[in-house]
Amino acid sequence: MGHIVSIDKDGHLVYEGLLSSKEKATIDEILDALKKEIPQIESDLNDKYGKSVLYKYYLGKFLAEQLKKYNISIAERRKFWDEIKTFATNEKRVRNEGANAETRSFYGQCYNLAQLDENTVVQLSWRQWQDIFDRVGNREDKRIFQWIGRLSEKIREDDWREFEKGLHLYLKKKDTSVFSDDELFEIYDSILSMGKFWRESFAKFSKEHPTSAKIKTKARRSKKYQSECFRLQRELHASLDESLFSQAFEIAMR
């Protein structure tokens, strides 16, 4: 394609680059096609899959075809997704997508999701996949997608939030390429277990101490718990297991 249209601050259509009348006409034809095709495919997928993750997966498959059809370069992808969002879809995409990152865009995330195997995709909810795409460090080692595909059951939303935060904390200044697949997958498993232990232990504490002021500081104590888990692991040269989780929880709830 080579060129994308956008809207300026005054709401006027802007053609990027110095274009001839013929080139502008070609872009107008593409835009008209997108205005017809995008609402139709989104409607069809919604009828079949609702707003499930498979809706986004197959929308991503369709978008991949459009990239080839209109010869959209990697550098132009984000602008192309913005063009679809601005001119073509009938859906209200209100989530803050930033201004530049291709992986923050809804359509960019659908496209990236479609690069994975369907059996892997259905292991997580759409919100969980958005977390993965939003956190660059957590998906920097592509083997996390293999690990997700190996999961035996879906992950609760609250457990996933703790997993994402714990993984982000663990990965700081770490080069995971030194780990074998089994070693890395064990790390992922341990961090997921760490989050589950927090959820179950905090729920038990809240039930046993319903009037405790500590309940209102859950987020801060969760962060403290995770930090203590990794500190104890380093200092004791221990595994991330329930014994260590228990010690960390006790410290975090003091």
Side-chain angles (χ1 to χ4, degrees), residues 65-82:
E65 295 174 358
Q66 306 315 297
L67 293 181
K68 293 181 180 178
K69 181 178 180 181
Y70 299 127
N71 193 29
I72 305 298
S73 68
I74 294 176
E76 290 178 312
R77 279 182 192 169
R78 174 57 201 252
K79 292 180 179 179
F80 186 62
W81 306 142
D82 287 346

Side-chain angles (χ1 to χ4, degrees), residues 52 119 133:
S52 72
N119 292 329
F133 292 134

Side-chain angles (χ1 to χ4, degrees), residues 141-151 163 179-192:
D141 192 318
K142 303 302 181 185
R143 288 178 292 175
I144 193 171
F145 300 120
Q146 297 178 40
W147 175 75
I148 292 170
R150 290 158 50 109
L151 293 172
F163 170 77
F179 299 125
S180 68
D181 289 355
D182 288 342
E183 288 171 335
L184 186 60
F185 295 162
E186 184 177 351
I187 291 170
Y188 291 146
D189 289 339
S190 296
I191 295 175
L192 180 60

Side-chain angles (χ1 to χ4, degrees), residues 94-223:
V94 297
R95 181 174 182 261
N96 182 4
E97 299 179 345
N100 299 309
E102 194 263 342
T103 53
R104 287 282 304 178
S105 165
F106 170 79
Y107 292 106
Q109 291 184 339
C110 290
Y111 169 77
N112 288 321
L113 188 70
Q115 308 311 301
L116 304 175
D117 183 84
E118 183 177 341
N119 292 329
T120 298
V121 168
V122 296
Q123 292 294 89
L124 300 182
S125 69
W126 173 240
R127 199 200 68 77
Q128 291 168 339
W129 279 114
Q130 285 187 306
D131 284 343
I132 283 284
F133 292 134
D134 287 348
R135 288 182 181 266
V136 177
N138 286 10
R139 59 177 164 78
E140 190 170 8
D141 192 318
K142 303 302 181 185
R143 288 178 292 175
I144 193 171
F145 300 120
Q146 297 178 40
W147 175 75
I148 292 170
R150 290 158 50 109
L151 293 172
S152 58
E153 58 184 23
K154 293 190 176 183
I155 303 174
R156 290 172 51 124
E157 292 291 338
D158 45 3
D159 288 343
W160 177 260
R161 287 193 294 272
E162 294 301 319
F163 170 77
E164 276 279 277
K165 291 187 295 184
L167 183 59
H168 179 71
L169 184 62
Y170 176 82
L171 290 176
K172 285 183 177 180
K173 299 180 181 180
K174 279 191 174 62
D175 177 13
T176 57
S177 66
V178 302
F179 299 125
S180 68
D181 289 355
D182 288 342
E183 288 171 335
L184 186 60
F185 295 162
E186 184 177 351
I187 291 170
Y188 291 146
D189 289 339
S190 296
I191 295 175
L192 180 60
S193 295
M194 184 176 80
K196 288 180 179 179
F197 187 94
W198 163 259
R199 168 176 55 83
E200 294 168 355
S201 298
F202 192 86
K204 181 180 179 182
F205 177 88
S206 300
K207 185 176 181 180
E208 294 176 348
H209 309 279
T211 61
S212 174
K214 295 177 181 179
I215 296 174
K216 297 180 180 180
T217 57
K218 181 178 180 180
R220 176 171 62 81
R221 293 182 185 278
S222 167
K223 186 176 181 180

